[in-house]
Amino acid sequence: MLDKNFLWGGATAANQCEGGYNEGGRGLANVDVTPHGKDRYPVLAGKMKMLELDDEHYYPALKSIDMYHHFREDIKLFGEMGFKTYRLSIGWTRIFPKGDELEPNEEGLKFYEELFKECHKYGIEPLVTITHFDCPIHLIKEYGGWRNRKLIEFYQRLVTVLFNRYKGLVKYWLTFNEINMILHAPFIGGGIVFEEGDNEAQIKFTAAHNQLVASAYATKIAHEIDPNNKVGCMLAAGNYYPYTCHPEDVFKAMNLDRENYFFIDVQSRGEYPKYALKQLEREKIDVGMTEEDKKVLKENTVDFISFSYYSSRTASADPEVNKTTAGNIFASIKNPYLKASEWGWQIDPLGLRITMNMLYDRYQKPLFIVENGLGAKDVLTENGEVIDDYRIDYLRAHIKSFMDAVELDGIELWGYTPWGCIDLVSAGTGEMSKRYGFIYVDRDDAGNGSLKRSKKKSFTWYKNVISSNGENL
Ligand code: BGP
């Protein structure tokens, strides 16, 4: 049995659902200028410079599903499903339009205040990601994004404003969404665009270090302002399996896992693990660690470990085994035992339990699954229904798996917020047609549609799951 206070809910991110990009005094952010189409990946990866909007591209985040104007209607639907929590993110440029101002933008603060109050009307506890792939364009142009230590200071200013203003309205906070993404998609992970001749590894690890330090300061400030605040890290998780039992494959899988766990090792244990220090030394990377950094990291570890899980990953040391599968920006070897989604993301419910056990063994802190789900093409029938049994099957199998992890393995799990509880723009592809929601939104990949919301079959199913606390699957 799950605890009676288990936090069932759903997750979104500002840049993928809010829209209203130039309303309420909001400034331009990296996520706004990330186009749909073939240029998206090079932009996400920091390989193609795009710091302004142009007429040749379509930018899906500008309007998204326009939650900026629909949030009351949407939160009402979440309330109807019985959500206990709703994970959302703050658009940094709503609060500080340029990022380096001294005073925040009142209109932006007011918007989230209204939104949080709306959640509480339905007994929904907000779970707030402070930055979900979000960096003000001005900070990128002027300072080079997170490669610059100055961003630690701007982030401190942002979080201080948020913790003070929303004291009593929000108590669950995540500092950086999928913090390990910075190594794979540095433009959305850290506002980084590479210039000719840049030492990319040096820049990525420096930016990662700056975020880790900023995250520790945020944890410190959150606890000082309100001891009830709970601050979590957020990992794009999914354990690596060795492709075979060849020791080289096992070793490779261990090292690839460490690329991800490195971040959480720092955020949860408070210091760089030995293997990372050795790697940085070998690769002659200097992240600019100060004595003060060491102290703040050590003294301000996270309260809980949150993560996204879509699939496990597979590793092989054999260069011949090179059939990669798609999957959340992280390319991985195709696992022959698993089926895949229409986008090639492999489906592995037991992998969730394995990943949870790895995380819990390593950190012994409460876990929170803040993303999980199936991106699929939905068909709206003539009577306005979506029969999404494939989504129900996916979620059911994953819920069973985490319930086993709780009941049979004794893992402490605070909650579950499946991704894109309402259809929204895909982070990886910029498509609307890659849908995750319980709620269908009438909008297509080119931005056409009425934005009308309709309940899918999974809406009622999930409502029953929540009201039975996971017993009725
Ligand atoms: C994670 C992100 C989300 C989300 C999800 C699904 O990496 O934190 O923002 O979008 O993946 O990915 P996609 O939208 O590419 O299907």
Side-chain angles (χ1 to χ4, degrees):
M1 277 284 276
L2 293 174
D3 188 273
K4 65 174 177 11
N5 297 319
F6 187 78
L7 292 167
W8 294 97
T12 63
N15 75 86
Q16 290 166 261
C17 67
E18 233 174 55
Y21 82 103
N22 56 0
E23 292 181 65
R26 184 183 178 282
L28 201 67
N30 58 343
V31 285
D32 300 324
V33 296
T34 310
H36 175 240
K38 67 168 182 24
D39 290 337
R40 188 174 184 85
Y41 185 73
V43 171
L44 293 180
K47 305 276 186 195
M48 179 176 173
K49 192 173 192 165
M50 190 168 285
L51 300 181
E52 318 275 349
L53 300 167
D54 66 30
D55 294 334
E56 285 135 58
H57 292 87
Y58 167 59
Y59 301 94
L62 302 184
K63 191 159 183 192
S64 300
I65 59 160
D66 195 30
M67 213 193 239
Y68 188 66
H69 296 109
H70 290 72
F71 73 91
R72 290 183 205 282
E73 173 188 348
D74 295 340
I75 291 169
K76 186 164 183 246
L77 287 166
F78 300 157
E80 194 183 326
M81 270 188 279
F83 278 20
K84 314 280 181 225
T85 187
Y86 168 42
R87 175 179 176 230
L88 68 142
S89 78
I90 299 277
W92 189 341
T93 57
R94 282 206 191 285
I95 313 298
F96 287 100
K98 291 166 76 180
D100 59 358
E101 299 93 332
L102 294 176
E103 294 303 322
N105 169 33
E106 175 55 30
E107 226 181 316
L109 285 170
K110 189 85 192 137
F111 168 70
Y112 292 109
E113 187 181 324
E114 292 297 313
L115 198 155
F116 298 145
K117 285 186 175 157
E118 201 65 20
C119 288
H120 285 290
K121 244 168 83 176
Y122 301 95
I124 298 173
E125 191 67 56
L127 163 60
V128 176
T129 318
I130 296 165
T131 40
H132 192 128
F133 298 154
D134 205 12
C135 186
I137 282 288
H138 174 75
L139 296 188
I140 299 174
K141 287 186 177 167
E142 199 61 33
Y143 303 90
W146 278 96
R147 71 173 83 194
N148 191 327
R149 273 190 79 94
K150 282 290 273 184
L151 266 79
I152 301 175
E153 185 188 320
F154 304 139
Y155 189 84
Q156 281 174 290
R157 209 175 290 156
L158 170 72
V159 300
T160 305
V161 165
L162 299 178
F163 298 145
N164 277 319
R165 177 67 175 244
Y166 302 129
K167 188 173 173 176
L169 280 174
V170 179
K171 67 170 185 242
Y172 294 103
W173 302 90
L174 307 178
T175 52
F176 290 89
N177 179 62
E178 295 187 333
I179 189 160
N180 47 329
M181 193 61 90
I182 196 163
L183 300 181
H184 306 269
F187 184 62
I188 52 162
I192 289 164
V193 186
F194 296 112
E195 305 288 345
E196 184 93 19
D198 269 350
N199 176 343
E200 295 191 9
Q202 166 70 42
I203 290 169
K204 284 197 274 191
F205 278 98
T206 304
H209 175 73
N210 293 339
Q211 291 191 343
L212 289 167
V213 172
S215 173
Y217 275 115
T219 310
K220 179 174 192 286
I221 299 166
H223 290 152
E224 282 166 1
I225 291 178
D226 185 351
N228 289 322
N229 275 328
K230 302 279 180 221
V231 184
C233 51
M234 195 314 197
L235 175 76
N239 258 73
Y240 274 96
Y241 301 156
Y243 189 68
T244 70
C245 54
H246 193 298
E248 295 287 348
D249 283 356
V250 178
F251 189 66
K252 178 83 181 273
M254 180 190 81
N255 281 328
L256 286 171
D257 270 337
R258 281 178 166 179
E259 269 184 19
N260 296 324
Y261 289 135
F262 153 66
F263 292 86
I264 311 305
D265 285 351
V266 179
Q267 288 176 296
S268 183
R269 294 166 165 169
E271 60 191 16
Y272 274 46
K274 295 275 190 318
Y275 65 82
L277 292 172
K278 284 286 177 193
Q279 183 199 340
L280 295 175
E281 191 184 306
R282 256 193 325 271
E283 296 180 17
K284 301 194 172 42
I285 293 171
D286 177 3
V287 296
M289 173 90 76
T290 65
E291 285 310 309
E292 220 181 320
D293 290 353
K294 282 188 193 159
K295 187 166 182 293
V296 76
L297 289 172
K298 192 72 206 168
E299 290 174 358
N300 301 282
T301 56
V302 289
D303 301 312
F304 64 101
I305 313 288
S306 88
F307 62 98
S308 61
Y309 176 86
Y310 293 91
S311 183
S312 54
R313 301 159 176 149
T314 305
S316 168
D318 181 351
E320 292 300 305
V321 185
N322 57 3
K323 285 166 262 150
T324 57
T325 178
N328 207 350
I329 315 263
F330 297 75
S332 152
I333 305 293
K334 197 167 191 167
N335 183 331
Y337 300 101
L338 301 176
K339 294 203 177 99
S341 78
E342 292 167 277
W343 273 265
W345 292 26
Q346 294 201 286
I347 300 173
D348 181 11
L350 182 56
L352 173 59
R353 183 170 168 196
I354 294 168
T355 299
M356 289 172 73
N357 274 281
M358 288 296 286
L359 286 168
Y360 199 64
D361 282 355
R362 203 168 173 120
Y363 304 116
Q364 285 120 33
K365 288 192 183 179
L367 305 183
F368 206 135
I369 305 167
V370 295
E371 282 185 37
N372 171 238
L374 179 73
K377 287 205 169 88
D378 288 332
V379 181
L380 194 64
T381 64
E382 276 172 18
N383 355 332
E385 286 173 337
V386 176
I387 312 296
D388 55 343
D389 289 308
Y390 37 90
R391 181 168 295 109
I392 295 174
D393 290 346
Y394 178 101
L395 294 171
R396 181 191 290 120
H398 285 79
I399 294 173
K400 271 194 188 140
S401 182
F402 78 63
M403 287 178 76
D404 284 347
V406 171
E407 286 163 16
L408 305 176
D409 305 329
I411 288 174
E412 193 182 346
L413 178 67
W414 281 359
Y416 178 64
T417 57
W419 175 248
C421 48
I422 178 165
D423 290 348
L424 39 63
V425 175
S426 156
T429 69
E431 293 162 305
M432 263 309 295
S433 52
K434 191 180 185 192
R435 296 172 183 275
Y436 287 86
F438 304 110
I439 301 163
Y440 185 90
V441 180
D442 179 28
R443 189 164 173 83
D444 69 15
D445 291 344
N448 306 306
S450 65
L451 293 171
K452 181 172 179 290
R453 276 70 168 146
S454 332
K455 298 172 198 170
K456 301 183 194 174
K457 185 175 175 186
S458 56
F459 184 101
T460 315
W461 171 80
Y462 193 46
K463 184 179 170 166
N464 287 327
V465 171
I466 296 178
S467 64
S468 65
N469 205 19
E471 294 302 303
N472 202 343
L473 286 175

